[in-house]
């Protein structure tokens, strides 16, 4: 059974970029910087990140995800890369191998969002899982590999006026973290409006006079 974090605790996020060539230094990784920039713009509550740049190897991916949840005590782990149909794309399988529960809605929503931009979104195989230990749990989500696609799947689809017409997946992340015993996450509504039932919304204390 998970134990809720103290409300003062920071959200601990694992950011994992999965690429043979980037991890070998053939080119510069773009996934982790894109995730760090987006989280910095979006999260208004305290957070810290553990980053990992690794190759497309199932055993390495599973081991890294396990370490981030079980040892680094991440509440949320976001991966980028390795989710297509190529033979070296094994991120979904490695993620499912360490999960204790699957969260299929995340993958479904990401593909729905991406289909507004490219027909090849149907080739994407992103998954999400919960990994639970005796006293901790984390949400692990596979994201696309390109920075533009990362932002689109997190924020959603907007019309010409900037109004959200299809919600991004991050709108559901804060409440999911609540439910598995993690810290309370707040967001900048200009990027993402975190959805919670009214009963789960915490009122901010009045400002000191």
């Amino acid at each position: 059974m998970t134990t809720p974090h103290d409300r003062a605790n920071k959200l601990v996020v694992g950011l994992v970029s999965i690429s043979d060539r980037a991890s070998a230094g053939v080119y510069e990784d773009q996934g982790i910087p894109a995730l760090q920039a987006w989280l910095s713009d979006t999260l208004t509550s305290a957070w810290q990140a553990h980053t990992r740049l690794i190759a497309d190897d199932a055993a390495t991916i599973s081991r890294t995800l396990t370490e981030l949840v079980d040892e680094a005590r991440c509440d949320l782990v976001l991966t980028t890369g390795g989710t297509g149909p190529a033979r070296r794309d094994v991120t979904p399988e490695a993620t499912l191998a360490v999960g204790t529960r699957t969260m299929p809605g995340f993958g479904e929503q990401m593909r729905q969002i991406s289909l507004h931009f490219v027909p090849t979104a149907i080739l994407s195989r992103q998954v999400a899982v919960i990994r639970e230990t005796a006293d901790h749990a984390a949400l692990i989500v596979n994201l696309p590999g390109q920075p533009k696609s990362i932002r689109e799947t997190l924020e959603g689809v907007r019309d010409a006026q900037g109004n959200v017409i299809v919600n991004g997946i991050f709108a559901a992340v804060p409440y999911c973290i609540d439910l598995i015993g993690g810290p309370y996450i707040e967001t900048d509504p200009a990027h993402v409006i975190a959805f919670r039932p009214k009963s789960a919304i915490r009122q901010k204390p009045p400002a000191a006079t």
Side-chain angles (χ1 to χ4, degrees), residues 184 198 201-205:
Y184 192 83
K198 289 182 179 179
I201 297 173
R202 298 177 186 172
Q203 299 300 320
K204 291 183 179 181

Side-chain angles (χ1 to χ4, degrees), residues 150-163:
I150 291 171
R151 186 181 67 254
E152 289 165 352
T153 55
L154 291 170
E155 291 192 10
V157 182
R158 298 177 184 268
D159 63 18
Q161 290 71 46
N163 301 308

